[in-house]
Amino acid sequence: MADKHAEWNELAAQLAVDSIRCSTAAGSGHPTSSMSAAHLAAVLFSDHLRTDVDDPANLGNDRFVLSKGHASPLFFSLLKAIGAIDDERLLSFRKFDSPIQGHPAPVPGMPWVDVATGSLGQGMPIGLGMALAMRLDDLPGRVWVLMGDSEIAEGSVWEAMANASFHQVRNLIGILDMNRLGQRGPTMLQWEGDVYAARAESFGWRALRVDGHDVAAIDAAYREAEDGTGPTLIVARTEKGHGVSFLADKEGWHGKALSDEEAARAIEELGGRRRMAVTPPKPEVRVDREPFGAWQETPIDLPRYEQPEASRKAFGDTLAAMAARPDVVVLDGEVGNSTHTEEFQKAAPGRFFEMYIAEQAMLGAAVGLQALGKNAYAATFGAFLTRAYDFVRMAAISRANLRLCGSHAGVSIGEDGPSQMALEDLAMMRAVHGSTVLYPADANATAKLVPQMADVPGIVYMRTTREKTPRLYAPEEDFHIGGSKTLREGDRVTLVSAGVTLFEALAAADRLAAQGVACRVIDVYSVKPIDGDTLRAALAETGLVVTVEDHWLEGGLGDAVLSALAEDGAGLAGRVLKIGVTQMAGSGSPQELRDWAGISSAAIADRVRTLLG
Ligand SMILES: Cc1ncc(C[n+]2csc(CCOP(=O)(O)OP(=O)(O)O)c2C)c(N)n1
């Protein structure tokens, strides 16, 4: 055992030295945040984390999530120690075009990273999703999440911890690197480990307290945490910059690389460079990941609608039909009877996760589930997805595949008033890199699009409507991402809309037709990618495009249309008018509110008549 201890201590020193070397070479980075966790990481990667470095995709591997992503020098030094990368690669840290980026991300050349981190407070929700995925697949793996002590002020950590104990997750282990300091100085609780432990226990976790530089104590805590009795938080008292006299527990060193001269002194104090290599324990099982789209051909018995129905209900019904696909899992934020994910819950209760009113934990868990091969749909009111937007942003950096649904769009939700109205959701989801944004108008269009969401890479968002809308399309009608439907063929003006306001646009076209104004009406159910060819042709042929949406004018459907018209610099001539919500709504009936907002058929027809003189 003494040999083991010496080996772990040597490895910890090497990790500290390499963290200094790579950050000094880069001229930036977080060496002291890495050094505090060097012993914790050395013991974990030498003897506890069961992973095959040559087979990082193996679903049987344990998972390590560096929630304090700024400690990337430590992580990349670990990758060097286990033979995943060489020293030259390590020293490419933060250089242009290197996969060894400022914070870990699953970029090409970096298959040992499952998810991007660096926005603090995300690792625990993601780890929870991974742990749930392992349970679904009956895998014996564990998930280890390394967090900072300033980081743990994030509410998302506690959302996930409450959900982990509620969902009786047994294979999730948090390691709290309690080094007393944050970015600009001391943390709220500094070294009050008992308080962290008591908080964890009150959230239904087991808490273990250790000296985070005592390898024997760390090893013992890991062994205890591995017994599978419940989620465990290891509260490890550490020193930031440990092992170097002028760094240890000193303020003012966060996020600072050492100069060459300081690095030389620090490395000398740490006992110089080492060339240790370790092999982590092998995973118990080897399980292949299914290739992307493996379940695409599964026959799905789609619902068919003959009567008016709400698109949110069609979303839920279609999800229930998709339970036939074993890869599909669904999460909801305690509004399943509003979003209608409850239909999936009835069909496949074991693959439904009620995350309660914890939208950040819900989206983080969805990212973790998809990282281990699940096809995760998550839903809540569109308005409440805004509070988890940072998770969506980071999911894009993770190259995650997420299927999101926001119900209760626009002023059309009616009486509940503005706190429940999604009026920013199209803008926020359009702005996500590589995203797809869908906004079907009727139940049959919804039923056709929900399954397609499952097999598009990246983040796919569907906006649904609260109220029932008329049946516009036959169940046989085909819809595809990037497509549109031209519902009226007029040549004086083009009305472009989607979702609930499409019906107002159609009614406006009827009013105008009665006065001899022939309108073209286009349903852009695919807001991103949008059918630019059809829109450009419409502007060229009618000279006037009017967009109508139940969303703020900024960033929504109208701006999507404008972008498409401007896309190829074709020098199109014509006029464009955007109609959307511009005033803060109150309560009222859906139709009253659409009239008031100026997005009803009468208002649209008036605006068009004025424009046409
Ligand atoms: C959500 C979020 N807010 C702020 C930051 C900027 N930031 C990076 S590291 C850091 C301090 C983290 O302190 P701690 O969690 O104690 O980790 P340590 O570096 O001390 O180990 C801050 C505020 C961030 N990355 N993410």
Side-chain angles (χ1 to χ4, degrees), residues 213-540:
H213 301 299
D214 175 345
V215 289
I218 295 168
D219 179 55
Y222 288 170
R223 273 178 211 291
E224 196 172 340
E226 285 162 350
D227 68 7
T229 56
T232 302
L233 182 71
I234 296 169
V235 180
R237 180 181 162 131
T238 57
E239 273 184 341
K240 209 155 166 167
H242 180 78
V244 173
S245 56
F246 60 93
L247 299 176
D249 193 34
K250 295 275 191 299
E251 289 190 35
W253 276 102
H254 178 88
K256 286 206 180 106
L258 279 61
S259 68
D260 287 338
E261 183 271 320
E262 288 163 342
R265 267 199 292 146
I267 291 168
E268 196 181 320
E269 279 196 37
L270 287 161
R273 279 186 65 182
R274 289 139 174 102
R275 285 178 180 72
M276 277 184 76
V278 288
T279 305
K282 284 275 172 276
E284 283 177 31
V285 291
R286 144 127 259 304
V287 179
D288 273 328
R289 218 170 256 261
E290 274 147 4
F292 184 78
W295 298 98
Q296 192 164 5
E297 303 305 327
T298 310
I300 309 282
D301 194 7
L302 289 185
R304 301 163 64 89
Y305 300 91
E306 303 301 335
Q307 300 300 322
E309 188 50 277
S311 56
R312 62 180 169 129
K313 177 69 164 63
F315 171 77
D317 293 343
T318 313
L319 272 189
M322 289 189 66
R325 282 178 61 147
D327 60 329
V328 171
V329 299
V330 176
L331 305 94
D332 199 291
E334 222 266 290
V335 289
N337 55 339
S338 293
T339 59
H340 283 285
T341 57
E342 66 179 11
E343 310 301 338
F344 181 90
Q345 183 177 17
K346 286 178 215 153
R351 283 184 276 138
F352 177 83
F353 299 102
E354 176 56 74
M355 301 301 287
Y356 295 88
I357 308 171
E359 292 80 10
Q360 299 184 85
M362 175 174 80
L363 284 203
V367 170
L369 281 155
Q370 68 81 43
L372 297 194
K374 300 297 166 200
N375 213 323
Y377 283 72
T380 181
F381 286 22
F384 307 138
L385 282 173
T386 55
R387 69 193 294 152
Y389 189 46
D390 190 41
F391 280 79
V392 181
R393 181 186 71 87
M394 288 295 293
I397 302 173
S398 290
R399 282 69 174 167
N401 300 311
L402 285 188
R403 294 75 185 79
L404 306 178
C405 176
S407 68
H408 292 62
V411 300
S412 295
I413 69 154
E415 291 77 0
D416 274 345
S419 67
Q420 318 295 300
M421 293 171 179
L423 284 163
E424 301 85 1
D425 56 322
L426 294 177
M428 95 173 158
M429 293 302 181
R430 281 184 63 227
V432 174
H433 176 71
S435 66
T436 299
V437 178
L438 305 172
Y439 186 18
D442 87 343
N444 285 322
T446 307
K448 283 290 175 70
L449 288 166
V450 171
Q452 294 182 45
M453 295 169 76
D455 300 303
V456 181
I459 290 153
V460 188
Y461 175 64
M462 176 175 279
R463 183 183 219 221
T464 61
T465 299
R466 178 175 177 276
E467 59 187 314
K468 288 185 179 177
T469 49
R471 173 187 182 277
L472 185 60
Y473 298 108
E476 293 74 30
E477 185 86 26
D478 278 331
F479 292 82
H480 67 269
I481 289 168
S484 68
K485 297 283 175 192
T486 300
L487 300 170
R488 301 270 196 285
E489 292 284 359
D491 58 5
R492 287 287 303 282
V493 54
T494 304
L495 304 181
V496 182
S497 195
V500 70
T501 47
L502 180 65
F503 299 95
E504 301 290 348
L506 287 165
D510 292 342
R511 283 170 188 258
L512 289 162
Q515 293 158 355
V517 179
C519 297
R520 186 172 300 189
V521 180
I522 302 175
D523 174 7
V524 283
Y525 60 82
S526 178
V527 177
K528 182 186 175 188
I530 201 162
D531 184 355
D533 288 343
T534 298
L535 293 169
R536 286 187 288 271
L539 183 65

Side-chain angles (χ1 to χ4, degrees), residues 30 33 36 68 70 118-120 148-151 154 177 179 181-183 187 240 254 390:
H30 297 74
S33 303
S36 59
K68 46 175 276 185
H70 57 282
S119 178
L120 296 170
D149 49 348
S150 200
E151 169 180 16
E154 281 287 0
D177 177 7
N179 62 24
L181 296 171
Q183 173 169 319
T187 58
K240 209 155 166 167
H254 178 88
D390 190 41

